[in-house]
Amino acid sequence: MLSYRLVTTMEELESYKSTWSEILEREKNNNPFIEFEWVSTWWMTLGVNDNVEIYIVEHEGMAVAFFPFVRCKRFGGIHHFAFIGQGFATYMEVIAVNQWKEPSIEYLLKELSWKYKRFILELHGLLESKNTSQILEKYAIEHRVPHSIFRAVTPYIDFHSIKLEDFLHKYRKKFKSIQRREKKLKALGYVTFQAVHRERIAGMFDLFERRWQKKIDKSGFTEQQTRRFFECLTKEKCNALRVEVDSLQFEGYWIGFTIDICCRDRNFCQAMGHDPDFNMFGPGRLIERENMLKAHASNYRFYDFGSGYEPYKFEWYTHIDFSRRFVMSTKGKRERILRLIMILRDRLKGQLTNNHQLVKLKRDRLGELRYFFKNARLKDWFHSFKKGINRLIAVHIFDIYVSEKDHGQNSSSFNEMFIQDVMAYRGHVNYFSNYQKGYRIFRNSTKEIAFLRHDQLIYEEKIGFIHKLPSDVSYIKENNCQLSDIVAKVQEEGRAVCISVHWYEGKRRRKLVQLGFKKVERIKIFQLFNKKKVYRKEDNWLKYLQSQGKNIDHLWQLVLLPMFT
């Protein structure tokens, strides 16, 4: 004979901890969200205000199944049952000895039908690789109970199905792309991927806030109660359940993180994030790669990306499963209407979330607009308006000026700044991309950024113009201060100086002529929507090189000069 006991307080549930954990150990559970430590931590933090009801099915006084529910009343007194942890637990299950699972489900559903008369059962996160959703579906069909099922894909890597060498070879192009960016980042400073002690996980939430400050975040990951939940969860000591937080750091500064909830042979990636200031170096990809390789080295069989259709989840997977949302109700008219509303809601939500372009529009574009309206100044509005007009139609006219070499003495002091120095500056993100493009940054004696220098290219980022320079010419960008000293500094190295000047900057052009610069070319770029037309005279560069006594071995460079992207 089966019977059930209702537990509504954490104190009551504590007495069943050993039984609960023994059942999961016996069944070799690898779902972290039904481990006793996860459930109890959620209940004491995020679920403290919910009406939690744990139904314990017993056989001859021995607990054989646990049903962790939250119950509330909706729409005229209809009782609504759902698994605990909605929005936080990606997967859920009935905690039961396998041989007693089906009898326990059938028994409890009959008892709830007799006790509550009108109710709706909404159970999320039921993996199809388990048999719980099939048992529920069988019960609904046999008893002619109205029900609906919704599916979501859950991609994962099974490291037992593929050797690491084969996995690396299969995705070698992705790994090479990551390595190229990693090499550029490591050339600028010290990069580490390391485990984070639970006392220092505040850096994870700070980084997540930076990551999402210009996006619309519905996860609530950085809210006070959520932070408390994860902080408490990391302190839990359990052999089956572990929370692992790792950080990607550049010179001791957090630029990426990952938090994983691991249960026996499954590594579930709960969340990842990276500093948007370092986007050009691909820290998200880098920490994703490191986390997968760490999971393999730690002998986890499954690396779980979680439920959803986000494109990045399908770039590495080897297998897929499906998680179900099972909705069942009694036969009354009101509960049928409520179930219909829930079905329409879930179908609409499914259509919207499966459209990645629509998700990006809502999450990224609308998030940027919200951030702009909240923080924009008058100058930002003007630049935004100008940028919008230039996307439709624009005319760019600028001249290239080059100075003759001068080995005179330079009395000014300029020191080169490395990326570690720039990170201390306000607005440093504006300079990070310059390092990735090959610029060198210099500051003056008052510690202010004086000029940027490129020894290979003319780089006009705003209009997308790139031009290869001769071997002994440097392109500089400065703010009109100390121009003569800057030119002298570069010329000290036996290099000529190249500067671009817009057509309306008459005063600047006159100053360049006074400093011995010569105009070698005028470039005109006409843009209409996505079409661009460039007008220029390439022989001016040849005349300039010949006037400087260049030999014929420099002419090969002229083939590369008109590069335009």
Side-chain angles (χ1 to χ4, degrees), residues 243-260:
V243 178
E244 300 178 1
V245 179
D246 296 280
S247 67
L248 180 68
Q249 298 186 24
F250 176 77
E251 294 288 333
Y253 179 83
W254 282 48
I255 62 172
F257 81 88
T258 176
I259 177 170
D260 301 272

Side-chain angles (χ1 to χ4, degrees), residues 105-220:
I105 290 174
E106 291 183 358
Y107 166 74
L108 186 63
L109 289 178
K110 290 178 181 177
E111 289 294 316
L112 293 178
S113 299
W114 177 82
K115 181 177 181 180
Y116 292 106
K117 308 303 181 184
R118 295 175 178 271
F119 75 89
I120 287 181
L121 190 69
E122 182 184 12
L123 304 180
H124 75 280
L126 294 169
L127 286 172
E128 289 188 359
S129 56
K130 309 296 181 182
N131 62 350
T132 304
S133 63
Q134 287 82 1
I135 293 172
L136 289 166
E137 187 176 5
K138 177 185 174 184
Y139 175 89
I141 293 172
E142 289 179 348
H143 294 81
R144 297 182 181 180
V145 178
H147 67 284
S148 301
I149 297 172
F150 302 91
R151 305 169 83 208
V153 68
T154 59
Y156 63 93
I157 299 172
D158 183 352
F159 285 118
H160 284 191
S161 69
I162 185 171
K163 293 181 179 179
L164 181 61
E165 295 79 10
D166 296 333
F167 181 77
L168 296 175
H169 179 74
K170 180 179 180 180
Y171 298 107
R172 61 189 180 279
K173 290 184 179 180
K174 291 187 178 70
F175 281 115
K176 285 182 179 179
S177 176
I178 295 171
Q179 288 170 358
R180 283 194 295 269
R181 294 194 177 192
E182 180 185 20
K183 186 177 179 180
K184 291 181 179 179
L185 184 59
K186 286 185 174 180
L188 298 172
Y190 186 57
V191 181
T192 59
F193 177 80
Q194 60 189 37
V196 177
H197 192 269
R198 62 175 179 265
E199 302 298 331
R200 298 184 59 201
I201 67 170
M204 172 180 69
F205 298 106
D206 295 339
L207 178 54
F208 192 88
E209 285 183 339
R210 293 202 303 274
R211 167 67 173 159
W212 287 88
Q213 65 179 345
K214 293 184 180 180
K215 300 176 184 287
I216 295 177
D217 174 33
K218 295 295 185 181
S219 69

Side-chain angles (χ1 to χ4, degrees), residues 266-453:
R266 182 179 295 270
N267 185 113
F268 179 84
C269 184
Q270 176 71 37
M272 282 187 180
H274 65 272
D275 193 329
D277 294 352
F278 285 80
N279 274 346
M280 70 289 298
F281 299 107
R285 287 291 194 182
L286 181 54
I287 198 168
E288 188 177 51
R289 181 199 67 182
E290 293 298 318
N291 204 41
M292 288 188 296
L293 296 180
K294 183 206 72 173
H296 179 272
S298 301
N299 295 319
Y300 291 112
R301 175 176 178 177
F302 302 107
Y303 184 84
D304 196 327
F305 294 99
S307 180
Y309 293 87
E310 293 84 348
Y312 78 90
K313 294 181 178 180
F314 295 91
E315 294 183 357
W316 305 101
Y317 81 106
T318 61
H319 295 75
I320 60 172
D321 198 350
F322 290 90
S323 63
R324 287 185 172 188
R325 178 184 292 272
F326 184 88
V327 183
M328 182 177 71
S329 69
T330 46
K331 299 178 182 180
K333 186 175 181 180
R334 281 182 294 172
E335 48 266 50
R336 283 177 175 269
I337 293 174
L338 181 57
R339 188 176 65 85
L340 178 61
I341 293 172
M342 295 169 63
I343 290 171
L344 293 175
R345 178 202 65 189
D346 285 349
R347 285 181 177 171
L348 178 61
K349 183 179 178 180
Q351 291 293 326
L352 295 177
T353 55
N354 292 347
N355 188 327
H356 186 61
Q357 294 301 322
L358 193 60
V359 171
K360 285 182 67 177
L361 173 65
K362 176 201 168 212
R363 183 193 63 198
D364 299 343
R365 299 294 172 260
L366 294 182
E368 289 174 2
L369 282 175
R370 184 185 65 176
Y371 181 84
F372 181 81
F373 287 134
K374 187 177 179 180
N375 300 281
R377 297 169 297 178
L378 183 61
K379 181 175 68 173
D380 299 321
W381 281 98
F382 174 76
H383 286 311
S384 179
F385 177 76
K386 181 182 176 182
K387 187 177 180 181
I389 295 297
N390 287 341
R391 285 180 178 176
L392 302 178
I393 184 170
V395 178
H396 304 284
I397 302 173
F398 59 95
D399 300 323
I400 304 296
Y401 280 79
V402 178
S403 71
E404 297 180 0
K405 293 181 184 179
D406 184 352
H407 296 279
Q409 296 297 316
N410 175 33
S411 59
S412 299
S413 175
F414 295 99
N415 297 315
E416 185 170 358
M417 296 179 64
F418 299 99
I419 195 168
Q420 297 89 338
D421 305 316
V422 173
M423 287 170 65
Y425 276 70
R426 185 178 179 181
H428 56 265
V429 62
N430 298 321
Y431 295 99
F432 282 174
S433 60
N434 291 316
Y435 283 105
Q436 194 267 344
K437 294 171 184 174
Y439 278 104
R440 297 167 63 188
I441 301 177
F442 293 82
R443 62 185 173 190
N444 56 25
S445 57
T446 60
K447 307 300 183 183
E448 296 177 343
I449 294 177
F451 67 98
L452 281 66
R453 167 178 162 181

Side-chain angles (χ1 to χ4, degrees), residues 23 33 85 156 260 265 296 403 424 470 473 517 521 532:
I23 290 174
F33 306 105
Y156 63 93
D260 301 272
D265 63 350
H296 179 272
S403 71
V473 179
F517 280 80
E521 186 170 9
K532 288 184 180 180

